Amino acid sequence: MQVHNTSSTDAAETSRLELAGIGVRFGGIVALDDVCLRVPPGSVVGIMGPNGAGKTTLFNVICGFIRPGSGSMSFDGEPFAPVPHRLAARGVARTLQGLGLFNGLTALENVTAGASGRHRAPFAAGLLGLPPAARSNRQAVADAAALLDEFGIGSYAHALPSALPYPVAKKVALARALISDPTLMLLDEPAGGLDQADIDDLRELIGALPRRAGGTVSVMLVEHNVDLIMSVCDHIVVLDFGRVISQGSPDEIKADPVVAQAYLGDREAS
Ligand SMILES: Nc1ncnc2c1ncn2[C@@H]1O[C@H](COP(=O)(O)OP(=O)(O)O)[C@@H](O)[C@H]1O
Ligand SMILES: [Mg+2]
């Protein structure tokens, strides 16, 4: 699959997602303050920041669970006012912190369930002479099985979540998000609870996400594992107390003393 180099046209390119001046307050707490960022198509953007910095709130705003008090968003150049139950149809998928799998469904059924939100034209069904619902359900099961195979966990297709090793369950959760063919994926601490070998596996998997669908899939990644975020992201945004305190390439973030200071928590001492 070809990944086109957009370095010369980046500035003019339409953003997958753009946030301008986003502000969220919870009573007296400012959870997000004038947050501006852009996520280009086919890129991995990392969101870092100490606990309480506003990372989860940011994802909740993008998913429509929290309506910001100020600011605006656009998606593929159009004004974006997200509604949670219409996100999949809009091309946005999210994995939750932890797993969020349905305990009563097998791995395959969990992934298939992720397809329910996507709305496909019934064109292919018509060609095959099938009623649209039957066609789309059969297609969803086939797509789910293909994703499990792609992730190397096809042998777990008929296992319940309680029987899955944790790293396998994490991949099932990722497959469930991917099956709706999102163009923007939000991953909330995907490395949580994984050991180093599984994190290396995850790094490859996340690094390959943007190359799907012709290289236009964008990923936003909230992650505490600094090695993972530094190695997989094209661009990193650092939040502290709800404000963007730094953003840039992984190397720029590593070299920024403001970031180190936020993480060391020595602001009073300095
Ligand atoms: N529903 C809520 N009600 C009140 N305060 C909240 C709520 N959600 C988050 N906060 C506060 O907003 C700030 C940002 O929280 P959060 O987005 O969860 O941070 P992070 O994910 O970076 O750890 C914190 O001070 C947190 O206590
Ligand atoms: Mg959080």
Side-chain angles (χ1 to χ4, degrees):
M1 209 173 291
Q2 198 188 342
V3 183
H4 60 274
N5 183 347
T6 55
S7 54
S8 59
T9 55
D10 259 357
E13 191 177 35
T14 303
S15 299
R16 168 78 358 100
L17 179 71
E18 200 155 332
L19 271 56
I22 294 292
V24 172
R25 284 173 169 273
F26 297 111
I29 295 170
V30 180
L32 293 175
D33 186 7
D34 194 24
V35 170
C36 301
L37 61 87
R38 71 179 283 263
V39 179
S43 67
V44 182
V45 173
I47 310 293
M48 286 174 64
N51 277 332
K55 306 180 295 295
T56 297
T57 302
L58 184 69
F59 270 15
N60 283 333
V61 166
I62 296 167
C63 291
F65 291 117
I66 294 173
R67 201 165 285 279
S70 57
S72 62
M73 297 190 275
S74 68
F75 192 89
D76 291 339
E78 307 268 322
F80 182 51
V83 180
H85 69 272
R86 290 201 213 117
L87 275 179
R90 191 70 204 259
V92 182
R94 174 183 196 173
T95 65
L96 299 170
Q97 211 168 326
L99 289 173
L101 297 177
F102 299 115
N103 288 325
L105 301 183
T106 66
L108 183 67
E109 289 164 345
N110 262 285
V111 178
T112 306
S116 61
R118 72 181 172 189
H119 299 293
R120 288 271 168 77
F123 178 69
L127 281 181
L128 292 167
L130 290 170
R135 161 70 192 166
S136 63
N137 189 49
R138 240 181 264 182
Q139 186 63 52
V141 174
D143 290 351
L147 272 174
L148 292 179
D149 283 342
E150 183 187 336
F151 289 179
I153 55 172
S155 60
Y156 294 96
H158 303 295
L160 292 172
S162 58
L164 298 175
Y166 191 70
V168 173
K170 291 284 251 190
K171 286 186 179 176
V172 172
L174 191 59
R176 189 175 63 182
L178 259 183
I179 199 174
S180 62
D181 285 338
T183 53
L184 176 64
M185 288 200 70
L186 308 176
L187 308 180
D188 203 348
E189 299 200 26
L194 297 180
D195 67 19
Q196 193 54 51
D198 292 321
I199 291 173
D200 291 340
D201 207 18
L202 183 69
R203 170 181 296 125
E204 280 194 30
L205 220 150
I206 295 172
L209 290 176
R211 294 198 292 276
R212 302 183 86 91
T216 62
V217 175
S218 304
V219 180
M220 288 181 82
L221 173 67
V222 164
E223 184 51 63
H224 277 300
N225 186 305
V226 176
D227 286 342
L228 175 63
I229 211 164
M230 291 291 175
S231 62
V232 85
C233 291
D234 302 298
H235 186 83
I236 295 172
V237 176
V238 186
L239 294 175
D240 194 19
F241 295 116
R243 294 192 70 92
V244 175
I245 58 164
S246 185
Q247 58 176 309
S249 68
D251 285 341
E252 286 166 345
I253 296 301
K254 270 184 226 169
D256 188 345
V258 171
V259 176
Q261 213 173 24
Y263 272 85
L264 290 171
D266 62 353
R267 281 158 293 199
E268 283 84 6
S270 61

